[in-house]
Amino acid sequence: MIDCIPFVQRRERLMQQLGSGIAVLATAPEQVRNRDSHFPYRFDSHFYYLSGFTEPEAVIVLLAAANKAILFCRDKDMEREIWDGFRYGPTAAAEAFGFDEAYTIAELDERMPKLMANQPALHYAVGADSVWDSRMLGWLNNVREQARSGVAAPAEIRDVRVPVDAMRLIKDDFELDLMRRAAAISCGAHRRAMLATCPGGYEYQVEAEILHEFRRHGAQSPAYTSIVAGGANACVLHYVDNNASLHADDLLLIDAGCELDGYASDITRTFPVNGRFAGAQRDVYELVLAAQLAAIAAVSPQAHWNSAHEAAVRVLVQGMIDFGLCEGSVDGVIESGDYRRFYMHRTGHWLGLDVHDVGDYKQHDEWRSLQPGMVLTVEPGCYIRPADNVPEAYWNIGIRIEDDVLVTASGAEVLTAAAPKTVAEIEVLMQQRQASEWPGAL
Ligand code: GLY
Ligand code: MN
Ligand code: MN
């Protein structure tokens, strides 16, 4: 049975914050993939955060002053359920998900103008979807047309995502439990990938091991398309072809995380295909690892959002100078931005229901302070493409190390610590591989 209490509490908290007015949040539409096949359905994250309800064609309506929560959802339909499976219907959905009232989605157009009447403000995801924008304005105009019978339409339209984003930024215990479980599954998938990697294998074979591990532990899907990038492919930041063969002397970069009950994990590990880091690979790996550890050490409630990035960049730049990739002083290279030839992305992002989760990174033009309950990724990297002024030993080395980190009252907790990360941990694990079972040995 679903525990609806966290969702009921979130709705109540949102209504208290809004104080008055009507809030409307729709879930995501189903998406056609091709002809009559659909993409696997994924609900809207804001809608799910406030309902726990995973069916398509559903809308939450909140009447803030009355502290009343209403759900519109698909009706029971035995004929459709034979083809597509169970649907709650309004009566059972209201009970299971703790709504005060529920109606069929077919009644939405008829009921919305009445629900909007005499509400001082309308809160919805303004501009997120042109279809919903025009529906909202249609209902609004319908209410305005009743002005002569003394009915007032909402005078204000506000973006409901602003307060919900702020709520979602601080994870509650229910969310943290799910995020820990998602992280544990993904750590297992990265261990499995290390054990399944071998010279002569293919990137997609390793990807298949990862997906197998996600699903066998109940994760519904990957949280984003997995990146399984051997050798030079690791220098393509969003590489998703995953179709190349793996060479003994290359590194393999894997950025993969599962989604469990809506919550994302996001892990990157980079390791040698043959199980042993060689000279320049080892040097760059140790550098990125030192940058990542420095960045994690910079995560605490005493720090601001950018502290981790600043710490990582400082370590990376010193290494780039030592390796002859950049010239000058650390401050000079940071100032000029020359390091961006090898480190062109930022060190992390918020993590939650969305892999790049909601929440502002700045407040009043200042990096926001970290607070207990925030979850972020820490993911420095170094990507070295061949170039005239780059020592050849470093060519085509692409390394990223990414963990999911919870801000705690005293510092930080790495949720993904179970994925091997040091050179020794990776090499010891990979020694357990059985060469006779490698696909390349077939
Ligand atoms: N996997 C997406 C990211 O690391 O941002
Ligand atoms: Mn990430
Ligand atoms: Mn990632």
Side-chain angles (χ1 to χ4, degrees), residues 224 227 255 266 268 349 355-356 377 379 400 402:
Y224 52 90
I227 295 170
D255 185 345
D266 183 7
T268 307
H349 49 82
V355 65
H356 296 163
T377 65
E379 50 177 305
R400 178 165 65 257
E402 175 174 28

Side-chain angles (χ1 to χ4, degrees), residues 138-150:
W139 295 329
L140 204 57
N141 285 333
N142 187 309
V143 184
R144 285 183 184 136
E145 281 161 16
Q146 301 168 46
R148 265 177 283 166
S149 51

Side-chain angles (χ1 to χ4, degrees), residues 88-218:
Y88 274 91
T91 308
E95 172 134 1
F97 296 90
F99 283 85
D100 301 301
E101 293 174 12
Y103 303 100
T104 68
I105 193 73
E107 296 173 82
L108 191 65
D109 283 324
E110 180 204 327
R111 288 186 178 270
M112 276 310 296
K114 293 180 194 136
L115 289 165
M116 274 187 184
N118 298 317
Q119 292 290 342
L122 168 63
H123 306 265
Y124 83 102
V126 183
D129 181 312
S130 57
V131 172
W132 281 102
D133 283 336
S134 82
R135 261 183 117 172
M136 295 288 170
L137 294 181
W139 295 329
L140 204 57
N141 285 333
N142 187 309
V143 184
R144 285 183 184 136
E145 281 161 16
Q146 301 168 46
R148 265 177 283 166
S149 51
V151 173
E156 255 187 280
I157 297 182
R158 302 182 79 104
D159 197 327
V160 74
R161 290 173 295 184
V162 174
V164 182
D165 286 1
M167 287 171 68
R168 281 177 52 187
L169 188 51
I170 309 290
K171 274 65 184 176
D172 58 36
D173 289 344
F174 182 87
E175 295 181 286
L176 289 177
D177 176 55
L178 279 171
M179 293 191 76
R180 284 198 174 88
R181 285 162 52 202
I185 294 169
S186 295
C187 286
H190 279 263
R191 293 176 64 85
R192 182 170 171 147
M194 289 174 191
L195 289 170
T197 293
C198 58
Y202 282 83
E203 292 166 345
Y204 54 75
Q205 291 174 327
V206 181
E207 181 184 16
E209 298 289 336
I210 291 165
L211 296 177
H212 187 165
E213 195 68 10
F214 289 170
R215 280 304 279 145
R216 88 187 185 95
H217 287 291

